[in-house]
Amino acid sequence: MQGYGRMAPSSSSFQPSAGATALTASRNAHPTTRLDSFMKHTDPGFQNAEAPTQGDRFIRKMATYGQVRPSVSFISESRVARPMKETSAIDMSNLPQHAMDPRGDPREGTFEIPPPPEKVDDSFIAMYKNHSLMLPSERYKEHLKMKAGHQKWKEERDAVFRYRKRMQVLERKHPEGILGVDGPTHPDTILYRDRHEQLAQQAELKAQHAEGRFAHLHAQNVSDDAVAHRNFGTDPNWERSKDIAIQRKKVDPEAHPFRFLDTHERLFPKYTPVWDPERAAALRSHEVRDKKHNIVNGADNSMSYAVALPWEEIQRQAVEKRMAEIESRKMRSQSANEI
């Protein structure tokens, strides 16, 4: 009809907004997740400034949102590692700058903040509670004492407040020290004594950690000379198997002479012992498990391992005994002649 305006479009042609779509899609999600989805679909400040990429190849890009400018290091520096310079440091440090270190300036230690009294005197308050009868002159003298005590109390209290305030200003405004005068790195500092002790303890702990780290890294990276083929082919003048970095048996020519014999010495020994009492005692001790008694009747099972000596040894001992008797007889005859 021409007398009426334009008709409203039907509901079938209605296009929902991006925010409504985001809220509808995340209807059953957590409120935080719904808000994040809504902001990323509606607010340009939360939207990615880069267009989505297609394909199966990864492209290195910077994730920027809204009107965020790329950093200088991202657009100006390459992906190559930065070179190490003399002014660079491996780790960060909370020490004051080098200009605050002691340099022998004559002004060092001249600035000081006098400490306040240890205890503020408030003994004048007890005079207010004095209600006894007094003469006017006595009351006047007490009044003067109370007035002087109150004035002294105010001065001492102000000194405490001023000292605390000056120390706070010094710690907050000048935490690294006073140039050429005092600072935490000065060994004899009074104003920065607490900070100096903290830095000293920190340096000690850091030195202990560095020492332990060095020892650990050395133990992890060390290699034996035999494994690394150092001085290969040269004579190290060591004992046999000493250059091999493994657990080895005791190799001592005196304690184990049999291990150092060649084939001829083993087959044709120069001395073949017939009887060894010590070896016999050791073998019997192993057999009876070092028991000193008989396991059946409990009697003593000790045994003597002495055997007859060879005929040559018996003859030698007899000759020595005979010669000793002849010598003693001569000595007796000579003493008798002298008498």
Side-chain angles (χ1 to χ4, degrees):
M1 299 177 64
Q2 298 181 2
Y4 298 100
R6 306 174 93 184
M7 298 180 62
S10 61
S11 59
S12 59
S13 61
F14 175 72
Q15 297 294 333
S17 62
T21 304
L23 293 177
T24 304
S26 60
R27 178 174 301 175
N28 298 325
H30 192 272
T32 305
T33 308
R34 296 189 67 191
L35 179 61
D36 179 74
S37 177
F38 176 78
M39 297 300 293
K40 287 184 178 181
H41 282 80
T42 58
D43 194 343
F46 287 85
Q47 295 178 1
N48 197 336
E50 298 178 357
T53 57
Q54 303 294 333
D56 58 347
R57 295 292 184 270
F58 173 75
I59 301 176
R60 178 175 178 264
K61 292 185 178 181
M62 178 181 176
T64 56
Y65 292 91
Q67 283 73 25
V68 179
R69 299 179 59 185
S71 62
V72 178
S73 61
F74 184 83
I75 62 177
S76 302
E77 295 187 15
S78 62
R79 301 176 65 179
V80 182
R82 298 184 184 182
M84 187 67 181
K85 300 180 181 179
E86 297 181 355
T87 57
S88 303
I90 299 178
D91 54 352
M92 299 178 64
S93 175
N94 58 350
L95 295 175
Q97 54 179 332
H98 299 286
M100 297 297 177
D101 295 342
R103 303 179 181 273
D105 197 314
R107 299 176 300 169
E108 293 181 2
T110 56
F111 179 75
E112 60 180 3
I113 299 177
E118 298 181 358
K119 185 178 180 180
V120 179
D121 186 12
D122 56 353
S123 59
F124 71 96
I125 300 178
M127 299 182 185
Y128 289 118
K129 302 177 182 179
N130 185 12
H131 302 291
S132 60
L133 296 176
M134 301 176 64
L135 295 174
S137 59
E138 295 176 347
R139 182 68 68 181
Y140 180 70
K141 292 179 180 180
E142 187 182 31
H143 164 70
L144 295 179
K145 290 182 179 180
M146 287 189 296
K147 187 176 180 180
H150 182 263
Q151 184 65 24
K152 181 181 179 182
W153 172 77
K154 291 179 60 178
E155 293 176 357
E156 293 179 351
R157 188 187 63 169
D158 293 343
V160 173
F161 291 161
R162 284 196 301 270
Y163 175 79
R164 187 181 305 168
K165 185 175 182 179
R166 294 180 68 181
M167 292 300 297
Q168 290 179 355
V169 171
L170 188 68
E171 294 175 357
R172 297 174 182 176
K173 300 296 183 180
H174 309 280
E176 297 187 352
I178 306 173
L179 183 61
V181 179
D182 201 352
T185 56
H186 291 246
D188 300 331
T189 180
I190 299 178
L191 300 178
Y192 296 90
R193 172 56 55 185
D194 297 340
R195 182 58 177 167
H196 175 76
E197 293 179 354
Q198 293 177 1
L199 295 178
Q201 184 179 6
Q202 172 184 310
E204 183 179 359
L205 295 176
K206 189 174 182 180
Q208 294 178 359
H209 174 74
E211 184 177 358
R213 181 175 180 271
F214 175 80
H216 177 72
L217 293 178
H218 176 73
Q220 296 295 328
N221 298 328
V222 68
S223 60
D224 194 85
D225 293 343
V227 178
H229 294 281
R230 301 187 186 98
N231 302 324
F232 181 76
T234 60
D235 185 10
N237 297 323
W238 287 351
E239 298 179 2
R240 188 175 65 178
S241 72
K242 188 76 173 182
D243 57 337
I244 302 177
I246 59 176
Q247 185 179 5
R248 64 191 188 92
K249 296 181 179 180
K250 182 179 180 182
V251 182
D252 189 357
E254 297 181 0
H256 307 278
F258 193 78
R259 299 188 63 185
F260 293 86
L261 299 179
D262 55 11
T263 305
H264 186 273
E265 292 177 347
R266 287 196 298 269
L267 295 179
F268 306 98
K270 297 179 180 179
Y271 171 73
T272 304
V274 180
W275 174 254
D276 189 357
E278 296 181 358
R279 183 172 181 272
L283 292 177
R284 187 174 185 277
S285 175
H286 295 167
E287 290 177 358
V288 300
R289 296 183 178 271
D290 200 21
K291 291 183 174 62
K292 307 298 181 183
H293 62 279
N294 194 329
I295 61 175
V296 177
N297 55 11
D300 185 16
N301 67 345
S302 60
M303 181 181 297
S304 177
Y305 301 96
V307 296
L309 298 176
W311 181 83
E312 294 83 358
E313 184 70 19
I314 296 175
Q315 287 294 106
R316 187 182 62 80
Q317 293 181 2
V319 172
E320 291 179 355
K321 183 178 180 181
R322 183 64 177 171
M323 295 298 295
E325 291 178 355
I326 294 173
E327 290 292 333
S328 61
R329 190 179 303 171
K330 288 181 179 180
M331 293 295 293
R332 287 196 299 269
S333 60
Q334 291 178 359
S335 61
N337 294 334
E338 292 177 359
I339 296 175

